[in-house]
Amino acid sequence: MMEQLSFFEEKHNDPRPPLALNWNLWHGCTRASTGCLHCYVYRRDESIGKDPTVLHKTDNFNLPIRKLRSGQYKGMYKVPCGSHIYTCFSSDFFHPDADGWRKDAWEMMHERSDCTFFMITKRPERIADHLPAGWGNGWEHVTIAVTCENQDMLDKRLPVYLDLPLFHHAVMIEPMLTEVDLSQYIEKYRTSDGRPLIEEVSVGGESGANARVCDYKWVEKVWLQCKENGISFYYHQTGAKLIKDGKLYNIPRKLQHIQAHKAGLDL
């Protein structure tokens, strides 16, 4: 059984700098909506003859709690204190086929409360029934974000997601396939001191050879709504096909993050 998180900051004696790393503790997924149509996990697995719909635990399942067996830092965790861990990016943490593994995953995240964990789901309707004991109103070091690729998914997922007991609420609009309007969710869902419940919004176009078009006007609309309401905004990537000022641009994969950053929209 997990113990309650401490109300007081613990002192750590780890001299190593924190890392940003991926923790794909299981792999594989099934499509949840149209945003999954050109999923990079499917593209990658199918290119090597692997079935992407079959979930399996990976060799990195216990990565956060592995300890060093030799050297200067023998006995310490391999992952340094303060590290930021991108969690389950080759699957969905709340996929039903992973129900048997999730309890152990929560326990590892609880043990490593000296790190931060960030995950994204397309299945917010499954979150409430699959949170760990002692979750309360959320763990500060864990962010569960929801992704919505168009207005239909925004209207389906956000009312569920924003009612959940989470310490952080973050919305990913990626791949962005249509214009979306966040205004009703910004206005309706606020904290007791009046701040929007949504802390962060990330936007990005679709990548890959068959990518669907993203219009820069859609990105700017969400950016403006975030700017006006003090919400952090991150333009993650342009996508492979971007319309800007009425012109279609085909952007190579290696430039999609760079060009998005150059837009200067990050808040």
Side-chain angles (χ1 to χ4, degrees):
M1 181 178 294
M2 293 182 293
E3 298 179 359
Q4 184 176 352
L5 288 172
S6 173
F7 290 107
F8 304 97
E9 184 178 356
E10 297 178 11
K11 292 184 179 180
H12 301 280
N13 298 311
D14 191 343
R16 299 168 299 168
L19 302 173
L21 68 157
N22 293 322
W23 178 33
N24 290 319
L25 61 172
W26 51 79
H27 182 93
C29 202
T30 51
R31 290 183 169 102
S33 59
T34 187
C36 305
L37 182 60
H38 300 138
C39 174
Y40 68 93
V41 173
Y42 273 65
R43 296 201 308 265
R44 189 164 50 196
D45 283 6
E46 289 172 349
S47 71
I48 58 174
K50 186 176 180 180
D51 186 350
T53 67
V54 178
L55 271 68
H56 64 273
K57 288 169 69 174
T58 71
D59 293 338
N60 283 327
F61 183 77
N62 66 342
L63 176 64
I65 61 170
R66 289 179 183 170
K67 294 188 176 181
L68 295 167
R69 298 182 179 180
S70 61
Q72 180 182 0
Y73 302 111
K74 180 180 178 180
M76 298 181 71
Y77 291 115
K78 289 185 176 181
V79 176
C81 172
S83 292
H84 187 61
I85 303 175
Y86 295 95
T87 304
C88 214
F89 273 50
S90 65
S91 185
D92 189 319
F93 189 79
F94 293 95
H95 195 288
D97 290 354
D99 285 354
W101 309 324
R102 197 174 298 105
K103 181 177 182 292
D104 290 338
W106 284 127
E107 289 180 352
M108 286 186 278
M109 283 185 267
H110 182 271
E111 180 175 335
R112 292 306 312 271
S113 59
D114 59 316
C115 295
T116 54
F117 296 83
F118 182 87
M119 65 182 75
I120 303 171
T121 184
K122 285 184 171 67
R123 295 170 170 86
E125 71 282 356
R126 302 196 80 244
I127 295 176
D129 292 333
H130 295 90
L131 293 171
W135 179 262
N137 290 319
W139 292 347
E140 185 174 359
H141 71 295
V142 176
T143 299
I144 303 171
V146 68
T147 181
C148 310
E149 64 269 26
N150 56 31
Q151 191 68 44
D152 286 345
M153 288 300 104
L154 205 74
D155 294 339
K156 177 182 179 180
R157 292 172 179 160
L158 286 195
V160 175
Y161 174 72
L162 294 174
D163 274 335
L164 292 168
L166 305 177
F167 197 96
H168 307 284
H169 289 84
V171 178
M172 310 290 111
I173 305 173
E174 188 178 349
M176 190 177 205
L177 302 179
T178 68
E179 179 179 343
V180 301
D181 185 357
L182 278 171
S183 59
Q184 63 174 307
Y185 302 106
I186 294 172
E187 292 304 319
K188 181 178 178 181
Y189 297 91
R190 291 185 176 266
T191 62
S192 58
D193 61 0
R195 290 179 292 109
L197 198 61
I198 299 171
E199 296 178 2
E200 174 187 346
V201 175
S202 179
V203 171
E206 189 170 45
S207 60
N210 298 312
R212 289 160 286 185
V213 169
C214 180
D215 194 317
Y216 188 68
K217 290 181 180 178
W218 305 342
V219 178
E220 287 185 311
K221 178 178 179 178
V222 176
W223 166 79
L224 184 60
Q225 291 179 339
C226 290
K227 183 179 180 181
E228 290 175 344
N229 289 278
I231 299 172
S232 176
F233 179 89
Y234 180 45
Y235 186 21
H236 177 62
Q237 64 177 28
T238 61
K241 297 179 180 178
L242 180 72
I243 293 177
K244 189 173 187 298
D245 300 325
K247 182 178 179 180
L248 175 63
Y249 293 89
N250 294 299
I251 304 174
R253 186 72 183 93
K254 64 181 180 181
L255 298 179
Q256 290 172 28
H257 294 279
I258 296 171
Q259 290 299 319
H261 179 70
K262 286 183 176 180
L265 298 183
D266 296 348
L267 299 172

